[in-house]
Amino acid sequence: MNFVRLFNDIKLRNKLSLTFITVAVIPLLVSGVFFTGKLRDIMIRDAFKQAADNVERVRKRTEEVIKVPLDISYQLSNDSRMKSVVNRSYDSYIEVIQTYRQYTDIRDYVRLYEEVSAIRLYTPNPTMLNNWEFMQPSAETARAEWYKAALDKKGLAGWGFIQDERDQKYYLSIVRKISLDAPGEDSVLVINVNTALLDSTLSQEPFLTMIVDDHNRIVAANRPNLYGKNLAEVHADHSMLTQSEGSFDAVMDGKASKVVIARLIPPSSWNGLRVISVFAESDIFRDVNGVIRLAALVIGGCLIIAVLLVQASASLITRRLLRLSKHMSKVGTGSWDAYLDLDGKDEIGQLSHRFNALVGRLGQLMGEVEETNRQKRMLEQRQSEIKFKMLASQINPHFLFNTLESIRMEAHLRGEEGIAQAIWQLSALIRSSLEVGNGKIPLSKEIDMVRCYLELQKFRYEDRLQYKLEIGPGLGEVEVLPLIIQPLVENSIVHGLDQKEDGPTSIAIRMNPSEDGGVLVEISDDGAGITPEKLESLQRKLQEPEEAGQRIGLRNVHDRLRLTYGESSGLSMESQEGKGTRITFCIPKEGGSHVLRDDC
């Protein structure tokens, strides 16, 4: 008790000084942890840089290798002599053999270019003989995915891991359709890339390096046991299977690893390759892990001792502060006659005396607090109005960009047919958007903007998109917020139609009177739907506090509805994976009371 009384008489500043002196070793330990972490970061950064440089070097070398068969395929696709050989109808095998002897271009390419290991042309000409250069496609070959893709891509080159019928081995190959004069007689050219040349490019890489096709099949690697396997078979992280390029953390064979991916898409090709480099963190830190473990033990021991000392010192202070806190709680409940008597001559003791004087003045301060609260409510109302304007202004540029991109891509794929109509639709939509202010607009005008947007998207998707607009009688003049339906329709197209594998997608927009005289709005589709996990995550994000830079279209509309009509007037979402999504919200009667009925 004497020690406690003596400690209470010490000034609070002296108490803190004593505590800081006792635990002065902690900054040194923190410095050790900091510099150890910096060392790890430097090693990882250097390894990342080395891996990125290696990947870029491999990508360029691979591009040089595959450029040769790509050029050969282009030359053969325009080779009139080869086309005359294929188009010709032969009367005897001798005539075929003589023609093969005279045409030596394919054999010359294989002999002159080490990048090419074999060339074969699949042609449906029944009068020709199979000589491993000119071949008639078997039924199995004609059903192969790569064969059908080559015929569908209108002369573009494709890259795949294809089995050679001569040695039954798989090679990285380029496939390309060769257009002939006779209708329906198109041939497919296949050129095998020299696998040994690709492997030699990777053999000197210090980290695991692979070249994979667009189906994640390993077409070359500096580990021979990986050749021909799928990335999923070697316990690769999901990000490695889906990410096209970049650097990221991953797990491979149960080890934390770093991955660097570079994309390689040759000119005039419908697909491409990826160069992947993987290195495990354990391989980098093997030499320093022992030192780090020892440092961790020392740091941990020092921290435990420091924590015990700090807690012992803090308990003596907080015990008295707890008494002060209890009396402050009494004052918080409106008990103005609370009186505190703490022993000690330090700052806490002085604080107790000043606390008693402070209580007497709280009555006067309450009036000032009420005035401050009134001003605060006015400020929050102003902020809500500004926030609403900011939310509303964020939709137009985003939608305009997506629409223009859609028209650009469609114009690129289709030429100039139908572009005039699409531009007219877009002009009308832009004009309507520019005329929209921060106030409300009739529901009929909002529906006209949605219809214009859907017509633009139908221009892009054609028969894949069907839509239906239903508006109840007398609802066209109801005043609503501008641009609250279009983002939801856009969400149905982006996440419902685009992610649906096949078949058309129907979108229905229905507006019917609600029980309280308002408008019940429903946007539904039969698209790809949302998984339960993603739906739960999306609903959680809609309810979370706003974070700058993390806004999405649904969140934008959700916030605007709540800011205008009250907290309970947000979006309601229902979805089943593979069946579609349904989004509803309610606009109260006369557009805007913050007090909403249950049916809204």
Side-chain angles (χ1 to χ4, degrees):
M1 294 298 296
N2 293 333
F3 172 77
V4 172
R5 188 177 294 107
L6 178 62
F7 190 83
N8 291 340
D9 291 338
I10 300 175
K11 297 296 184 179
L12 182 59
R13 183 178 60 184
N14 296 333
K15 291 189 186 78
L16 295 176
S17 298
L18 178 63
T19 302
F20 286 135
I21 292 174
T22 304
V23 297
V25 69
I26 291 182
L28 298 177
L29 299 176
V30 171
S31 299
V33 174
F34 174 77
F35 287 114
T36 301
K38 281 294 183 181
L39 176 61
R40 294 173 62 93
D41 292 341
I42 291 173
M43 295 181 67
I44 291 178
R45 186 164 57 250
D46 291 344
F48 252 130
K49 185 177 183 304
Q50 181 182 358
D53 293 342
N54 293 345
V55 166
E56 181 62 19
R57 182 173 62 253
V58 171
R59 190 191 70 81
K60 290 182 178 179
R61 178 55 182 154
T62 304
E63 187 175 19
E64 293 174 358
V65 172
I66 66 177
K67 184 178 184 299
V68 174
L70 181 63
D71 291 343
I72 293 175
S73 70
Y74 180 78
Q75 294 175 15
L76 289 176
S77 66
N78 295 281
D79 189 348
S80 59
R81 293 180 61 241
M82 185 187 72
K83 292 182 179 181
S84 65
V85 171
V86 176
N87 283 328
R88 183 177 175 181
S89 179
Y90 298 93
D91 298 327
S92 66
Y93 290 157
I94 296 177
E95 186 179 0
V96 175
I97 294 172
Q98 289 177 346
T99 303
Y100 286 173
R101 288 178 178 175
Q102 294 173 359
Y103 183 78
T104 63
D105 289 6
I106 292 179
R107 293 190 293 276
D108 292 341
Y109 281 130
V110 176
R111 178 174 54 85
L112 294 175
Y113 296 99
E114 63 174 350
E115 292 86 355
V116 177
S117 63
I119 302 176
R120 58 189 183 276
L121 180 70
Y122 289 96
T123 176
N125 189 340
T127 64
M128 299 183 70
L129 297 176
N130 292 344
N131 69 336
W132 304 114
E133 294 176 359
F134 297 97
M135 304 177 63
Q136 296 180 6
S138 63
E140 182 179 359
T141 300
R143 291 193 302 268
E145 180 182 351
W146 60 266
Y147 190 89
K148 294 187 290 185
L151 293 176
D152 292 339
K153 294 301 181 178
K154 299 180 180 180
L156 293 177
W159 301 86
F161 200 52
I162 301 174
Q163 186 179 28
D164 193 304
E165 297 183 24
R166 173 179 291 186
D167 57 12
Q168 302 302 312
K169 294 182 179 179
Y170 284 86
Y171 296 87
L172 172 63
S173 304
I174 177 176
V175 297
R176 194 169 201 159
K177 184 180 77 170
I178 304 298
S179 299
L180 303 179
D181 297 336
E185 297 295 329
D186 292 333
S187 301
V188 175
L189 178 67
V190 180
I191 303 177
N192 295 345
V193 180
N194 190 338
T195 303
L197 195 59
L198 291 177
D199 290 339
S200 65
T201 303
L202 306 178
S203 60
Q204 297 180 351
E205 299 302 321
F207 305 131
L208 170 61
T209 306
M210 304 169 287
I211 301 176
V212 301
D213 65 4
D214 59 344
H215 293 289
N216 289 317
R217 290 170 296 193
I218 302 174
V219 301
N222 57 355
R223 293 184 186 176
N225 60 313
L226 298 180
Y227 180 77
K229 293 184 178 180
N230 193 285
L231 279 180
E233 299 177 23
V234 297
H235 309 289
D237 189 89
H238 180 70
S239 300
M240 294 176 59
L241 304 178
T242 58
Q243 190 158 330
S244 61
E245 59 184 351
S247 304
F248 54 90
D249 296 332
V251 177
M252 186 167 182
D253 292 331
K255 296 181 180 179
S257 305
K258 306 293 183 180
V259 180
V260 179
I261 301 178
R263 183 74 169 167
L264 172 57
I265 302 181
S268 302
S269 299
W270 80 73
N271 62 357
L273 306 171
R274 292 187 300 156
V275 180
I276 303 176
S277 181
V278 184
F279 58 92
E281 293 183 5
S282 58
D283 296 337
I284 301 174
F285 302 132
R286 185 178 296 111
D287 296 335
V288 297
N289 280 341
V291 177
I292 293 176
R293 282 193 293 268
L294 179 60
L297 291 175
V298 175
I299 293 173
C302 293
L303 287 177
I304 291 174
I305 295 174
V307 168
L308 293 176
L309 291 174
V310 171
Q311 288 182 346
S313 300
S315 62
L316 297 176
I317 300 175
T318 56
R319 189 178 304 165
R320 301 170 69 217
L321 291 176
L322 183 60
R323 290 183 58 194
L324 177 60
S325 177
K326 291 181 179 179
H327 281 75
M328 293 178 66
S329 298
K330 291 182 180 180
V331 175
T333 59
S335 177
W336 307 111
D337 58 348
Y339 182 80
L340 176 63
D341 183 16
L342 287 177
D343 59 346
K345 299 179 182 179
D346 62 357
E347 284 82 353
I348 297 179
Q350 296 177 13
L351 184 61
S352 67
H353 298 301
R354 295 179 181 178
F355 169 78
N356 295 327
L358 182 63
V359 172
R361 299 178 54 193
L362 284 178
Q364 300 176 359
L365 295 176
M366 289 300 298
E368 299 177 6
V369 170
E370 291 178 359
E371 177 63 18
T372 301
N373 288 338
R374 186 184 67 81
Q375 295 178 359
K376 183 178 179 181
R377 285 193 297 270
M378 293 180 61
L379 178 61
E380 290 177 348
Q381 182 178 359
R382 297 284 185 180
Q383 290 175 339
S384 296
E385 295 174 357
I386 295 174
K387 186 176 180 182
F388 169 79
K389 295 176 181 179
M390 293 176 63
L391 289 169
S393 67
Q394 292 179 1
I395 295 179
N396 293 341
H398 177 68
F399 164 67
L400 179 59
F401 176 83
N402 287 343
T403 305
L404 290 175
E405 181 65 12
S406 298
I407 295 178
R408 186 189 69 81
M409 291 300 296
E410 197 66 26
H412 176 70
L413 294 176
R414 296 189 176 193
E416 297 183 354
E417 297 180 5
I419 297 301
Q421 179 66 18
I423 293 177
W424 182 87
Q425 294 283 353
L426 180 58
S427 299
L429 187 59
I430 294 176
R431 188 181 303 109
S432 299
S433 299
L434 294 176
E435 293 174 355
V436 170
N438 292 329
K440 298 176 182 178
I441 62 174
L443 183 57
S444 59
K445 187 173 182 180
E446 175 74 4
I447 294 304
D448 289 341
M449 295 175 66
V450 172
R451 182 181 291 107
C452 191
Y453 170 80
L454 285 169
E455 285 297 322
L456 281 171
Q457 294 296 355
K458 191 168 179 62
F459 169 80
R460 175 185 177 185
Y461 292 102
E462 300 180 342
D463 293 336
R464 287 190 60 202
L465 173 63
Q466 305 292 332
Y467 71 90
K468 178 169 60 176
L469 286 168
E470 296 180 3
I471 180 169
L475 299 181
E477 300 302 319
V478 175
E479 297 288 326
V480 299
L481 295 174
L483 295 173
I484 58 171
I485 300 178
Q486 181 271 329
L488 307 181
V489 176
E490 180 179 359
N491 184 75
S492 295
I493 293 175
V494 173
H495 299 289
L497 188 152
D498 283 351
Q499 298 183 12
K500 188 174 181 181
E501 295 183 357
D502 53 18
T505 297
S506 298
I507 299 176
I509 301 97
R510 300 181 178 90
M511 287 141 287
N512 297 303
S514 60
E515 296 181 2
D516 70 334
V519 181
L520 182 62
V521 181
E522 174 185 341
I523 298 93
S524 61
D525 64 77
D526 59 354
I530 306 174
T531 63
E533 294 81 10
K534 186 174 181 181
L535 179 62
E536 181 180 359
S537 173
L538 188 58
Q539 291 175 337
R540 184 170 61 252
K541 288 181 179 179
L542 291 179
Q543 302 303 324
E544 289 176 351
E546 177 184 354
E547 295 180 5
Q550 300 296 323
R551 173 163 295 155
I552 57 176
L554 292 179
R555 174 65 180 270
N556 197 324
V557 176
H558 183 72
D559 286 349
R560 293 175 63 201
L561 288 171
R562 294 197 304 174
L563 286 172
T564 304
Y565 304 119
E567 290 294 325
S568 60
S569 184
L571 298 179
S572 177
M573 299 182 61
E574 300 174 5
S575 182
Q576 293 187 19
E577 187 175 7
K579 294 186 178 180
T581 303
R582 177 176 176 264
I583 303 177
T584 59
F585 65 91
C586 188
I587 301 173
K589 185 178 181 180
E590 297 182 357
S593 174
H594 283 268
V595 179
L596 301 179
R597 293 179 170 83
D598 293 338
D599 59 331
C600 277

